[in-house]
Amino acid sequence: MPSTPRLPRAAVLALLPLVLAACGSSAAEDSSADGRDPDTLVLAAIPSEESTALAQRYEPIIRMLEEETGKNVELQQATNYAAVIEAQRAGKADIAFYGPLSYIVAKDSGVGLEIVAAPVAEQGDEPGYRSVGVSRAGSGIDSMDDLAGGEVCFVDENSTSGYLYPAAGLIAAGLGEDDYAPITAGGHDASVLSVADGQCDAGFATEDMATRQLVESGQIGADDLTVFWESAMIPGSPVAISDDLTDELRQTLTDALQNKTNADHLEAQGYCAGGEDCLIEGNWGYVPVSDADYASVRDVCATTRNEQCEAGS
């Protein structure tokens, strides 16, 4: 069956709240007794950097998923994690790339989804990563204690590494939100760059963004910032598929995301040129995970009693 004509994928990016109102067929229109089988699958993600880079990074995955499923796959850029949650809840996102916290919020608030896979930096690694706190070199901020009275950048209230784990670290240091001024930066890169630019005294983000990606892109110098705090290992950011899709489609997507969303397969099949072009957010690829792997995130939620663990907004 011929594909439906589409705009170039970079132009397909749209704010997810608009998708909720206007994207694709309704669940009733593409559903059967066995589940939904839409002609177009919507993949929702939030950018860790600017939108064009997001489209480029997901291009090999989208091409692979289109080949595996025989369907159009559209990438939709969400404004934040809450938008991803609500899109999948409303049946307007079929594949969603979550952070660990936003996955827990979605799952525990009744969103119909199945967790499938999470990224690993190298083949054979266990999925997981760390959050770090950064300050400007020479600023005198060398620990969580030094944040009292300062302006502190966080990524998003539904961000695991950019909010939840740092909040737990601040509590452990005896600091509550009344002891500093929290600022929502909106992205991991934005949190780090806000520190580098002097807009925040300190900020939190993924270790990879703060210590590698922004340095390699030339946006900050290798010695511009000081890492003054790091978290315990956080379970990897998972991808989940909607559980109301047909059994056959869910199985196809699960196999593709667990076994074919990696640099080796993407390069071998010609979906990317090799090297950095085939890495996914700097990672080799995705491996299977289960809900049980995210118990530690629920434990941190219990420690912080953070309302975002339940609110999803």
Side-chain angles (χ1 to χ4, degrees), residues 52 57 77 87 100 118 127 133 173 193 219 244 257 306:
T52 302
R57 284 197 304 273
Q77 175 190 327
L193 292 173
Q219 295 180 72
D244 64 346
L257 291 164
N306 192 293

Side-chain angles (χ1 to χ4, degrees), residues 19-259:
V19 177
L20 292 176
C23 176
S25 304
S26 70
E29 289 171 339
D30 3 272
S31 63
S32 67
D34 185 38
R36 289 195 302 117
D37 190 23
D39 292 331
T40 296
L41 295 170
V42 176
L43 185 157
I46 67 166
S48 57
E49 299 178 84
E50 52 91 16
S51 301
T52 302
L54 185 76
Q56 293 171 345
R57 284 197 304 273
Y58 280 90
E59 178 77 11
I61 299 175
I62 289 173
R63 290 180 59 198
M64 180 272 293
L65 291 174
E66 288 183 331
E67 182 71 22
E68 293 296 318
T69 64
K71 299 179 181 297
N72 295 323
V73 177
E74 291 185 355
L75 173 64
Q76 296 291 347
Q77 175 190 327
T79 53
N80 53 38
Y81 287 113
V84 177
I85 294 169
E86 294 312 313
Q88 195 156 44
R89 189 192 309 279
K92 297 300 183 181
D94 307 295
I95 307 162
F97 283 75
Y98 285 106
L101 174 57
S102 54
Y103 161 70
I104 291 296
V105 171
K107 176 71 173 178
D108 293 356
S109 65
V111 175
L113 56 79
E114 293 180 6
I115 189 171
V116 174
V120 292
E122 303 287 345
Q123 186 175 13
D125 284 357
E126 293 295 320
Y129 63 108
R130 295 183 190 276
S131 166
V132 297
V134 295
S135 59
R136 290 184 302 284
S139 67
I141 296 176
D142 300 314
S143 70
M144 288 290 207
D145 295 337
D146 297 326
L147 298 185
E151 295 184 326
V152 181
C153 267
F154 298 92
V155 172
D156 178 314
E157 289 184 335
N158 276 314
S159 172
T160 316
S161 59
Y163 188 85
L164 182 65
Y165 275 66
L170 287 161
I171 290 171
L175 297 178
E177 285 197 356
D178 292 340
D179 297 314
Y180 55 88
I183 297 173
T184 300
H188 289 271
D189 61 329
S191 181
V192 176
L193 292 173
S194 292
V195 177
D197 294 342
Q199 299 175 45
C200 294
D201 298 303
F204 297 97
T206 62
E207 182 178 26
D208 189 60
M209 177 62 71
T211 64
R212 187 185 67 82
Q213 292 189 41
L214 291 176
V215 173
E216 290 183 355
S217 68
Q219 295 180 72
I220 60 174
D223 300 321
D224 289 353
L225 302 177
T226 296
V227 175
F228 64 84
W229 174 86
E230 70 174 22
S231 71
M233 188 64 75
I234 304 170
S237 296
V239 56
I241 59 176
S242 297
D243 67 0
D244 64 346
L245 300 172
T246 64
D247 292 344
E248 180 180 0
L249 181 53
R250 282 189 288 110
Q251 184 55 52
T252 298
L253 287 171
T254 298
D255 177 64
L257 291 164
Q258 290 182 344
N259 302 312

